[in-house]
Coordinates of all heavy atoms in Angstrom, one line a residue:
M37 N 0.8 -1.2 0.0 CA 0.0 0.0 0.0 C 0.9 1.2 0.0 O 1.8 1.4 0.8 CB -0.9 0.0 1.2 CG -1.8 1.1 1.3 SD -3.1 0.9 2.5 CE -2.6 2.1 3.7
D38 N 0.6 2.2 -0.9 CA 1.4 3.4 -1.0 C 0.8 4.4 0.0 O -0.4 4.5 0.2 CB 1.3 4.0 -2.4 CG 2.0 3.2 -3.4 OD1 3.0 2.5 -3.0 OD2 1.6 3.1 -4.5
S39 N 1.7 5.1 0.7 CA 1.2 6.2 1.6 C 1.2 7.5 0.9 O 2.0 7.7 -0.1 CB 2.0 6.2 2.9 OG 3.3 6.5 2.6
V40 N 0.4 8.4 1.3 CA 0.3 9.7 0.7 C 1.1 10.7 1.6 O 0.9 10.7 2.8 CB -1.1 10.1 0.5 CG1 -1.3 11.5 0.0 CG2 -1.9 9.1 -0.3
F41 N 1.9 11.5 1.0 CA 2.6 12.6 1.7 C 1.7 13.8 1.7 O 1.2 14.3 0.7 CB 3.9 12.9 1.1 CG 4.6 14.1 1.7 CD1 5.2 14.1 3.0 CD2 4.5 15.4 1.1 CE1 5.7 15.2 3.6 CE2 5.1 16.5 1.6 CZ 5.7 16.4 2.9
H42 N 1.4 14.3 2.9 CA 0.7 15.6 3.1 C 1.6 16.6 3.7 O 2.0 16.4 4.8 CB -0.5 15.3 4.0 CG -1.6 14.4 3.5 ND1 -2.4 14.7 2.5 CD2 -1.8 13.1 3.8 CE1 -3.2 13.7 2.2 NE2 -2.9 12.7 3.0
P43 N 1.8 17.7 3.0 CA 2.6 18.8 3.6 C 1.7 19.5 4.7 O 0.5 19.3 4.8 CB 2.9 19.7 2.4 CG 1.8 19.5 1.4 CD 1.4 18.0 1.6
L44 N 2.4 20.3 5.5 CA 1.7 21.0 6.6 C 0.6 21.9 6.0 O -0.5 22.0 6.7 CB 2.7 21.9 7.3 CG 3.4 21.3 8.5 CD1 4.2 22.4 9.2 CD2 2.4 20.7 9.5
S45 N 0.7 22.5 4.9 CA -0.3 23.3 4.3 C -1.6 22.5 4.1 O -2.7 23.0 4.3 CB 0.1 24.0 3.0 OG 0.5 23.0 2.0
D46 N -1.5 21.3 3.6 CA -2.6 20.4 3.5 C -3.3 20.1 4.8 O -4.5 20.0 4.9 CB -2.3 19.1 2.8 CG -2.0 19.3 1.3 OD1 -2.1 20.4 0.8 OD2 -1.6 18.3 0.6
L47 N -2.4 19.8 5.8 CA -3.0 19.5 7.2 C -3.7 20.7 7.7 O -4.8 20.5 8.2 CB -1.8 19.1 8.1 CG -2.2 18.9 9.6 CD1 -3.2 17.8 9.7 CD2 -1.0 18.7 10.4
F48 N -3.2 21.9 7.6 CA -3.9 23.1 8.0 C -5.2 23.3 7.3 O -6.2 23.6 7.9 CB -3.0 24.3 7.9 CG -2.1 24.5 9.1 CD1 -1.1 23.6 9.5 CD2 -2.3 25.6 10.0 CE1 -0.3 23.8 10.6 CE2 -1.5 25.8 11.1 CZ -0.5 24.9 11.4
A49 N -5.2 23.1 6.0 CA -6.4 23.2 5.2 C -7.4 22.1 5.7 O -8.6 22.4 5.9 CB -6.2 23.0 3.7
Q50 N -7.0 20.9 6.0 CA -7.9 19.8 6.5 C -8.5 20.2 7.8 O -9.6 19.9 8.1 CB -7.1 18.5 6.6 CG -7.9 17.4 7.1 CD -8.9 16.9 6.1 OE1 -8.8 17.1 4.9 NE2 -9.9 16.2 6.6
L51 N -7.7 20.9 8.6 CA -8.1 21.3 10.0 C -9.0 22.6 9.9 O -9.5 23.1 10.9 CB -6.9 21.6 10.9 CG -6.2 20.3 11.3 CD1 -4.9 20.7 12.0 CD2 -7.0 19.4 12.1
G52 N -9.2 23.2 8.7 CA -10.0 24.4 8.5 C -9.2 25.6 9.0 O -9.9 26.6 9.3
L53 N -7.9 25.6 8.9 CA -7.1 26.7 9.3 C -6.4 27.4 8.1 O -6.2 26.7 7.1 CB -6.0 26.3 10.3 CG -6.5 25.7 11.6 CD1 -5.3 25.0 12.3 CD2 -7.1 26.8 12.4
P54 N -6.1 28.7 8.2 CA -5.3 29.3 7.1 C -4.1 28.5 6.8 O -3.4 28.0 7.8 CB -5.0 30.7 7.6 CG -6.1 30.9 8.7 CD -6.3 29.6 9.3
S55 N -3.7 28.3 5.6 CA -2.7 27.3 5.2 C -1.5 27.8 4.4 O -0.7 27.0 3.9 CB -3.3 26.1 4.5 OG -4.0 26.6 3.4
S56 N -1.3 29.1 4.3 CA -0.1 29.6 3.6 C 1.1 29.4 4.5 O 0.9 29.3 5.8 CB -0.2 31.1 3.2 OG -0.1 31.9 4.3
A57 N 2.3 29.5 4.0 CA 3.5 29.3 4.8 C 3.5 30.3 5.9 O 3.9 30.0 7.1 CB 4.7 29.3 4.0
D58 N 3.2 31.6 5.6 CA 3.2 32.7 6.6 C 2.2 32.4 7.7 O 2.4 32.7 8.9 CB 3.0 34.0 6.0 CG 4.2 34.5 5.2 OD1 5.4 33.9 5.4 OD2 4.1 35.4 4.3
E59 N 1.0 32.0 7.3 CA -0.1 31.7 8.3 C 0.3 30.6 9.2 O 0.0 30.6 10.4 CB -1.4 31.5 7.5 CG -1.9 32.7 6.8 CD -3.0 32.5 5.8 OE1 -2.9 31.4 5.1 OE2 -3.9 33.3 5.7
I60 N 0.9 29.5 8.6 CA 1.3 28.4 9.4 C 2.4 28.9 10.4 O 2.3 28.5 11.6 CB 1.9 27.3 8.6 CG1 0.7 26.6 7.8 CG2 2.6 26.2 9.4 CD1 1.1 25.7 6.7
D61 N 3.4 29.6 10.0 CA 4.4 30.2 10.9 C 3.8 31.0 12.0 O 4.2 30.9 13.1 CB 5.4 31.0 10.1 CG 6.3 30.1 9.2 OD1 6.4 28.9 9.4 OD2 7.0 30.7 8.3
A62 N 2.8 31.8 11.6 CA 2.1 32.7 12.6 C 1.4 31.8 13.7 O 1.4 32.1 14.9 CB 1.2 33.6 11.9
F63 N 0.7 30.8 13.2 CA 0.0 29.9 14.1 C 1.0 29.2 15.1 O 0.7 29.2 16.3 CB -0.7 28.8 13.3 CG -1.5 27.8 14.2 CD1 -2.8 28.0 14.5 CD2 -0.8 26.7 14.6 CE1 -3.5 27.1 15.3 CE2 -1.5 25.7 15.4 CZ -2.8 25.9 15.8
I64 N 2.1 28.8 14.6 CA 3.1 28.1 15.4 C 3.7 29.1 16.4 O 3.8 28.8 17.6 CB 4.1 27.4 14.5 CG1 3.5 26.2 13.8 CG2 5.4 27.0 15.4 CD1 4.3 25.6 12.7
S65 N 4.0 30.3 15.9 CA 4.5 31.3 16.8 C 3.5 31.7 17.9 O 3.9 31.9 19.1 CB 4.9 32.6 16.0 OG 5.9 32.4 15.2
Q66 N 2.3 31.7 17.6 CA 1.2 32.1 18.6 C 1.0 31.0 19.6 O 0.8 31.3 20.8 CB -0.1 32.3 17.9 CG -1.2 32.7 18.8 CD -2.6 32.9 18.1 OE1 -2.6 32.8 16.9 NE2 -3.6 33.1 18.8
H67 N 1.2 29.7 19.3 CA 0.9 28.6 20.2 C 2.0 27.8 20.7 O 1.9 26.9 21.5 CB -0.1 27.6 19.4 CG -1.4 28.3 19.1 ND1 -2.3 28.7 20.0 CD2 -1.9 28.6 17.9 CE1 -3.4 29.2 19.4 NE2 -3.1 29.2 18.1
A68 N 3.2 28.2 20.3 CA 4.4 27.5 20.8 C 5.1 28.3 21.9 O 4.9 29.5 22.0 CB 5.4 27.3 19.6
P69 N 5.8 27.6 22.8 CA 6.1 26.2 22.8 C 5.0 25.4 23.5 O 4.5 25.9 24.5 CB 7.4 26.1 23.5 CG 7.4 27.2 24.5 CD 6.6 28.4 23.7
L70 N 4.7 24.3 23.0 CA 3.7 23.4 23.6 C 4.4 22.5 24.6 O 5.4 21.9 24.3 CB 3.0 22.5 22.5 CG 1.9 21.6 23.0 CD1 0.8 22.4 23.6 CD2 1.4 20.8 21.8
S71 N 3.9 22.5 25.8 CA 4.5 21.7 26.9 C 4.6 20.2 26.5 O 3.7 19.7 25.9 CB 3.7 21.9 28.2 OG 4.2 21.0 29.1
S72 N 5.7 19.6 27.0 CA 5.9 18.2 26.7 C 4.9 17.4 27.5 O 4.7 16.2 27.3 CB 7.3 17.7 27.1 OG 7.6 18.0 28.4
Y73 N 4.2 18.0 28.5 CA 3.2 17.3 29.3 C 1.8 17.3 28.6 O 0.9 16.6 29.1 CB 3.1 18.0 30.7 CG 4.4 17.9 31.4 CD1 5.1 19.1 31.6 CD2 4.8 16.7 32.0 CE1 6.3 19.0 32.3 CE2 6.0 16.7 32.7 CZ 6.7 17.8 32.9 OH 7.9 17.8 33.6
I74 N 1.7 18.0 27.5 CA 0.4 18.0 26.8 C 0.5 17.3 25.5 O 1.3 17.6 24.7 CB 0.0 19.5 26.6 CG1 -0.2 20.2 27.9 CG2 -1.3 19.5 25.8 CD1 -0.4 21.7 27.8
A75 N -0.4 16.3 25.3 CA -0.4 15.6 24.0 C -0.9 16.7 23.0 O -1.8 17.5 23.3 CB -1.4 14.5 24.1
L76 N -0.4 16.6 21.8 CA -0.8 17.5 20.7 C -2.3 17.6 20.6 O -2.9 18.7 20.5 CB -0.2 17.1 19.4 CG -0.6 18.0 18.2 CD1 -0.1 19.4 18.4 CD2 0.0 17.5 16.9
A77 N -3.1 16.5 20.6 CA -4.5 16.5 20.4 C -5.2 17.2 21.6 O -6.4 17.6 21.5 CB -5.0 15.1 20.2
D78 N -4.5 17.2 22.8 CA -5.1 17.8 24.0 C -4.8 19.3 24.1 O -5.2 19.9 25.1 CB -4.7 17.1 25.2 CG -5.2 15.6 25.2 OD1 -6.2 15.4 24.6 OD2 -4.5 14.8 25.8
A79 N -4.1 19.9 23.2 CA -3.7 21.3 23.3 C -5.0 22.1 23.3 O -6.0 21.8 22.6 CB -2.8 21.7 22.1
P80 N -5.0 23.2 24.1 CA -6.3 24.0 24.3 C -6.7 24.8 23.1 O -7.8 25.3 23.1 CB -5.9 24.9 25.5 CG -4.4 25.0 25.5 CD -3.9 23.7 24.9
F81 N -5.9 24.9 22.1 CA -6.3 25.8 21.0 C -7.0 25.0 19.9 O -7.5 25.7 18.9 CB -5.0 26.5 20.4 CG -3.8 25.6 20.2 CD1 -3.7 24.8 19.1 CD2 -2.8 25.6 21.2 CE1 -2.6 24.0 18.9 CE2 -1.7 24.9 21.0 CZ -1.6 24.0 19.9
W82 N -7.2 23.7 20.0 CA -8.0 23.0 19.0 C -9.5 23.0 19.3 O -9.9 22.9 20.4 CB -7.5 21.5 18.9 CG -6.1 21.3 18.6 CD1 -5.2 20.6 19.3 CD2 -5.4 21.8 17.4 NE1 -4.0 20.6 18.7 CE2 -4.0 21.3 17.6 CE3 -5.7 22.5 16.3 CZ2 -3.1 21.6 16.6 CZ3 -4.7 22.8 15.4 CH2 -3.4 22.3 15.5
S83 N -10.3 23.0 18.2 CA -11.7 22.7 18.4 C -11.8 21.2 18.7 O -10.9 20.4 18.5 CB -12.5 23.1 17.1 OG -12.2 22.2 16.1
E84 N -13.0 20.8 19.1 CA -13.2 19.4 19.3 C -13.0 18.6 18.1 O -12.4 17.5 18.1 CB -14.7 19.2 19.8 CG -15.0 17.8 20.3 CD -16.3 17.6 20.9 OE1 -16.8 18.6 21.6 OE2 -17.0 16.6 20.7
A85 N -13.5 19.1 16.9 CA -13.3 18.3 15.7 C -11.8 18.3 15.3 O -11.3 17.2 14.8 CB -14.1 19.0 14.6
Q86 N -11.1 19.4 15.4 CA -9.7 19.4 15.1 C -8.9 18.4 16.0 O -8.1 17.6 15.5 CB -9.1 20.8 15.3 CG -9.6 21.7 14.2 CD -9.2 23.2 14.6 OE1 -9.1 23.5 15.8 NE2 -9.0 24.0 13.5
A87 N -9.2 18.4 17.3 CA -8.5 17.5 18.2 C -8.8 16.0 17.8 O -7.9 15.2 17.9 CB -8.9 17.8 19.6
G88 N -10.1 15.8 17.5 CA -10.5 14.4 17.1 C -9.7 14.0 15.9 O -9.3 12.8 15.8
F89 N -9.6 14.8 14.9 CA -8.9 14.5 13.7 C -7.4 14.1 14.0 O -6.9 13.2 13.5 CB -9.0 15.6 12.6 CG -8.2 15.3 11.4 CD1 -8.8 14.5 10.4 CD2 -6.9 15.8 11.2 CE1 -8.1 14.2 9.2 CE2 -6.2 15.5 10.0 CZ -6.8 14.7 9.0
I90 N -6.8 15.0 14.8 CA -5.4 14.7 15.1 C -5.2 13.4 15.9 O -4.4 12.6 15.6 CB -4.8 15.9 15.9 CG1 -4.7 17.2 15.0 CG2 -3.5 15.6 16.6 CD1 -4.4 18.4 15.7
R91 N -6.1 13.2 16.9 CA -6.0 12.0 17.7 C -6.2 10.8 16.8 O -5.5 9.8 16.9 CB -7.1 12.1 18.8 CG -7.0 11.0 19.8 CD -8.0 11.3 21.0 NE -7.5 12.4 21.8 CZ -8.1 13.6 21.8 NH1 -9.2 13.8 21.1 NH2 -7.6 14.6 22.6
E92 N -7.2 10.8 15.9 CA -7.5 9.7 15.0 C -6.4 9.4 14.1 O -6.0 8.3 13.8 CB -8.8 9.9 14.3 CG -9.2 8.8 13.4 CD -10.5 9.1 12.7 OE1 -11.5 9.3 13.4 OE2 -10.5 9.1 11.4
S93 N -5.8 10.5 13.5 CA -4.6 10.3 12.6 C -3.5 9.6 13.3 O -2.8 8.7 12.7 CB -4.2 11.7 12.1 OG -5.1 12.3 11.3
L94 N -3.2 10.0 14.6 CA -2.1 9.3 15.3 C -2.5 7.9 15.7 O -1.6 7.0 15.5 CB -1.8 10.1 16.5 CG -1.2 11.5 16.3 CD1 -1.1 12.4 17.5 CD2 0.2 11.4 15.7
E95 N -3.7 7.7 16.1 CA -4.1 6.3 16.6 C -4.1 5.3 15.4 O -3.8 4.2 15.6 CB -5.4 6.4 17.3 CG -5.4 7.0 18.7 CD -6.7 7.3 19.3 OE1 -7.8 7.0 18.6 OE2 -6.8 7.8 20.4
M96 N -4.6 5.8 14.3 CA -4.8 4.9 13.2 C -3.5 4.9 12.2 O -3.5 4.2 11.2 CB -6.0 5.3 12.4 CG -7.2 5.4 13.3 SD -8.8 4.7 12.8 CE -8.6 3.7 11.5
D97 N -2.5 5.6 12.6 CA -1.3 5.8 11.8 C -1.7 6.1 10.3 O -1.2 5.5 9.4 CB -0.4 4.5 11.8 CG 1.0 4.7 11.4 OD1 1.4 5.9 11.4 OD2 1.6 3.7 10.9
A98 N -2.6 7.0 10.2 CA -3.2 7.4 8.9 C -2.2 8.2 8.1 O -1.1 8.5 8.5 CB -4.4 8.3 9.2
D99 N -2.6 8.4 6.8 CA -1.8 9.1 5.9 C -1.3 10.5 6.4 O -0.3 11.0 6.0 CB -2.5 9.4 4.6 CG -2.7 8.1 3.7 OD1 -1.9 7.1 4.0 OD2 -3.5 8.1 2.8
W100 N -2.1 11.0 7.3 CA -1.8 12.4 7.9 C -0.7 12.3 9.0 O -0.3 13.4 9.4 CB -3.1 13.0 8.4 CG -4.1 13.3 7.4 CD1 -5.2 12.6 7.0 CD2 -4.1 14.4 6.5 NE1 -5.8 13.2 6.0 CE2 -5.2 14.3 5.7 CE3 -3.2 15.5 6.4 CZ2 -5.4 15.3 4.7 CZ3 -3.5 16.5 5.4 CH2 -4.6 16.3 4.6
V101 N -0.4 11.2 9.5 CA 0.5 11.1 10.7 C 1.8 11.8 10.5 O 2.3 12.5 11.5 CB 0.6 9.6 11.2 CG1 1.6 8.9 10.3 CG2 1.1 9.6 12.6
E102 N 2.4 11.8 9.4 CA 3.7 12.4 9.2 C 3.6 14.0 9.3 O 4.4 14.6 10.0 CB 4.3 12.1 7.8 CG 5.7 12.5 7.6 CD 6.3 12.1 6.3 OE1 5.9 11.0 5.8 OE2 7.3 12.7 5.9
A103 N 2.5 14.5 8.7 CA 2.3 15.9 8.8 C 1.9 16.3 10.3 O 2.4 17.4 10.8 CB 1.1 16.4 7.9
V104 N 1.1 15.5 11.0 CA 0.8 15.8 12.4 C 2.1 15.7 13.2 O 2.3 16.6 14.1 CB -0.3 14.7 12.9 CG1 -0.5 14.8 14.4 CG2 -1.6 15.0 12.1
D105 N 2.9 14.7 13.0 CA 4.2 14.6 13.7 C 5.1 15.9 13.5 O 5.7 16.4 14.4 CB 4.9 13.4 13.4 CG 4.3 12.1 14.0 OD1 3.5 12.2 14.9 OD2 4.7 11.0 13.5
H106 N 5.1 16.3 12.2 CA 5.9 17.5 11.9 C 5.3 18.7 12.6 O 6.1 19.5 13.2 CB 5.8 17.7 10.4 CG 6.7 18.8 9.9 ND1 6.6 19.3 8.6 CD2 7.6 19.6 10.5 CE1 7.5 20.3 8.5 NE2 8.1 20.5 9.6
L107 N 4.0 18.9 12.6 CA 3.4 20.0 13.4 C 3.7 19.9 14.9 O 4.1 20.9 15.5 CB 1.9 20.1 13.1 CG 1.2 21.1 13.9 CD1 1.7 22.5 13.6 CD2 -0.3 21.0 13.7
D108 N 3.6 18.7 15.4 CA 3.9 18.5 16.8 C 5.4 18.9 17.1 O 5.6 19.7 18.1 CB 3.7 17.0 17.2 CG 3.8 16.7 18.6 OD1 3.5 17.6 19.5 OD2 4.2 15.6 19.0
A109 N 6.3 18.5 16.3 CA 7.7 18.9 16.5 C 7.9 20.4 16.5 O 8.6 21.0 17.3 CB 8.6 18.1 15.5
R110 N 7.3 21.0 15.5 CA 7.5 22.5 15.3 C 6.9 23.2 16.5 O 7.4 24.2 17.0 CB 6.9 22.9 14.0 CG 7.7 22.5 12.8 CD 7.5 23.3 11.6 NE 7.6 24.7 11.7 CZ 7.1 25.6 10.8 NH1 6.5 25.1 9.7 NH2 7.3 26.9 11.0
L111 N 5.7 22.8 17.0 CA 5.1 23.4 18.1 C 5.9 23.3 19.4 O 5.9 24.1 20.3 CB 3.7 22.9 18.4 CG 2.6 23.5 17.4 CD1 1.4 22.6 17.5 CD2 2.3 24.9 17.7
R112 N 6.6 22.2 19.5 CA 7.4 21.9 20.8 C 8.8 22.6 20.7 O 9.3 23.0 21.8 CB 7.5 20.5 21.0 CG 6.2 19.9 21.3 CD 6.2 18.4 21.7 NE 4.9 17.8 21.7 CZ 4.0 18.0 22.6 NH1 4.2 18.7 23.7 NH2 2.8 17.4 22.5
S113 N 9.3 22.8 19.5 CA 10.6 23.4 19.4 C 10.6 24.9 19.2 O 11.6 25.6 19.4 CB 11.4 22.7 18.3 OG 10.8 23.0 17.1
A114 N 9.5 25.5 18.8 CA 9.4 26.9 18.5 C 9.1 27.7 19.8 O 8.7 27.1 20.8 CB 8.4 27.2 17.5
G115 N 9.2 28.9 19.8 CA 8.8 29.7 20.9 C 9.7 30.8 21.3 O 10.8 31.0 21.0

């Protein structure tokens, strides 16, 4: 089975968020750094639907997991 690569811009669009490179950087700057004690899906800035999508992507190792992991890493290292 071939996996599909989704860039961060596609993940942001899927989450219903502005998805240009500048908008993604602004989102990360606004919400980082995310504490290591908080799971990405449990971060307070997600809507219930967004958190559910992130949680499901991670649990099911879905096509989106690489983009979700990338976002997680950027939110934890930025700030």
